[in-house]
Amino acid sequence: MGVVRKIWLTPSPRSLVVELNDEARFISSIPTVGDRVGHVVFAQVKKDACMDSFTSFQRRILNMLGIDRGLVFATAADVGRYIDVSVKLDRDIDLEIEIIATVGLEPPACVDLEKLYRPIAGTINIATILDSEVPQSALADLFRTIVEAKASASSYLMLRCRSRSVGTVSDAIAVGSLESGKKRDILTMGMATSVGGVVARKIHGALIDHAVSKMGIEGFVRNCIGMDIDDLANLAYRFASELSIDAPTKDYFRVAIAEVLGDPNVLMTLIASRELDLYRRSGVIGKIARVQGSPQSYSGLDLAFLLGRSVIEQSRCIKIDDCIDLYRRLLHLSSEVWEEYHNDTMFEQYMVVSLIARVLCCMNQNR
């Protein structure tokens, strides 16, 4: 029979509507209109949408669609770019699962969030429906598994927050099972189980693939160092002017920086710098050093310098020593302007400076 009867998009209200093959009961982080529902709706709203009564919003959407009972997500993401994954388990258990999601990437959420929000439109919304009845405790365990998979994917995507991101500020998860399905005596659906493990891998992979396609290399770089190519080009132009270097246009710097960022080795170095700043901010490294009885306090300055230097040494410039000298000069210069861009992100600062030093040095040597 399967889980879903059909899926369609409606222009007004702009929504993704999922009709199930039968009514289902859900465990959900958002309300459902009715104990048993036959439709799941992802309603697209404006990015700055704020709702005092989410239930009233849900009922209004359902009324406009002519649906009595349903589960309604609100999302600022384009509902036309949705994820739909079907899973059929044959070996261990005869079970079909449908995973439907919409994905937005802002604003990210983390433990150390600077700004707290009122209820706003959801961004990463995931509905997972099983074709069989399972105990409520198993559904709750699968709910936990999906949250963990979503948080893991968000971490790998480097969604930019003051600490490691676990998703976005208003993610919503729903897990349900069709009432007409066979009853399955499944006790757990954690990530290490035959059901939860498959669901976790599917969601994890789908979220990463979708998000990488959506944000591209430039968006990923912005997550890593907090600056996009335009920001880097503007800063390079500014540094060149302050050092009296005869600089071409900002467009030149955009092209040159994009070329450098196309080097996989540079990209991996940027990832390392972001990770180190996250560990540095969390206090983990300093606490481990104290447990270890290290006589020296951790600063990271030497490693930050060496990581930046590696970006320069991977270039094709002939006079590397001259480039390193320029790198040192820019580090001194950047200390005066860095607070305009970041706070307490030392490794990222060295990465940004090394990228600009590499571009400026190669520009001079190629003339």
Side-chain angles (χ1 to χ4, degrees), residues 16 58 79 85 211 332 351:
L16 174 71
Q58 290 179 307
V79 295
V85 178
H332 177 73
M351 284 298 102

Side-chain angles (χ1 to χ4, degrees), residues 109-150:
C110 59
V111 172
D112 194 16
L113 198 63
E114 291 180 281
K115 179 182 178 181
L116 298 179
Y117 294 80
R118 295 175 61 199
I120 61 173
T123 40
I124 300 177
N125 293 324
I126 306 172
T128 302
I129 309 103
L130 287 63
D131 73 342
S132 303
E133 279 195 79
V134 298
Q136 190 175 42
S137 59
L139 280 184
D141 204 25
L142 184 59
F143 184 100
R144 174 182 63 87
T145 298
I146 293 168
V147 172
E148 290 172 346
K150 183 265 299 181

Side-chain angles (χ1 to χ4, degrees), residues 2-4 84-89 93-100 127-132 142 146 175-176 186 189 194-200 202-203:
V3 177
V4 174
D84 182 13
V85 178
S86 298
V87 180
K88 186 173 177 58
L89 301 176
I93 184 171
D94 181 17
L95 186 67
E96 289 188 35
I97 304 168
E98 196 82 14
I99 303 164
I100 303 164
T128 302
I129 309 103
L130 287 63
D131 73 342
S132 303
L142 184 59
I146 293 168
V175 181
I186 301 174
M189 292 189 185
S194 57
V195 177
V198 172
V199 171
K202 291 290 186 180
I203 288 176

Side-chain angles (χ1 to χ4, degrees), residues 312-318 320 358 362 365:
I312 296 170
E313 291 178 342
Q314 291 167 31
S315 70
R316 298 177 182 177
C317 298
I318 299 173
I320 294 296
R358 174 168 164 171
C362 290
Q365 293 188 18

Side-chain angles (χ1 to χ4, degrees), residues 40-84:
V40 177
V41 178
F42 298 82
Q44 186 170 329
V45 297
K46 295 180 180 179
K47 291 183 178 181
D48 58 352
C50 185
M51 302 155 201
D52 293 326
S53 174
F54 191 71
T55 303
S56 296
F57 165 79
Q58 290 179 307
R59 291 186 182 279
R60 185 169 68 253
I61 294 295
L62 291 175
N63 287 338
M64 293 174 72
L65 294 171
I67 297 172
D68 292 331
R69 301 187 305 276
L71 175 65
V72 180
F73 294 91
T75 178
D78 180 4
V79 295
R81 296 186 62 185
Y82 63 93
I83 294 172
D84 182 13

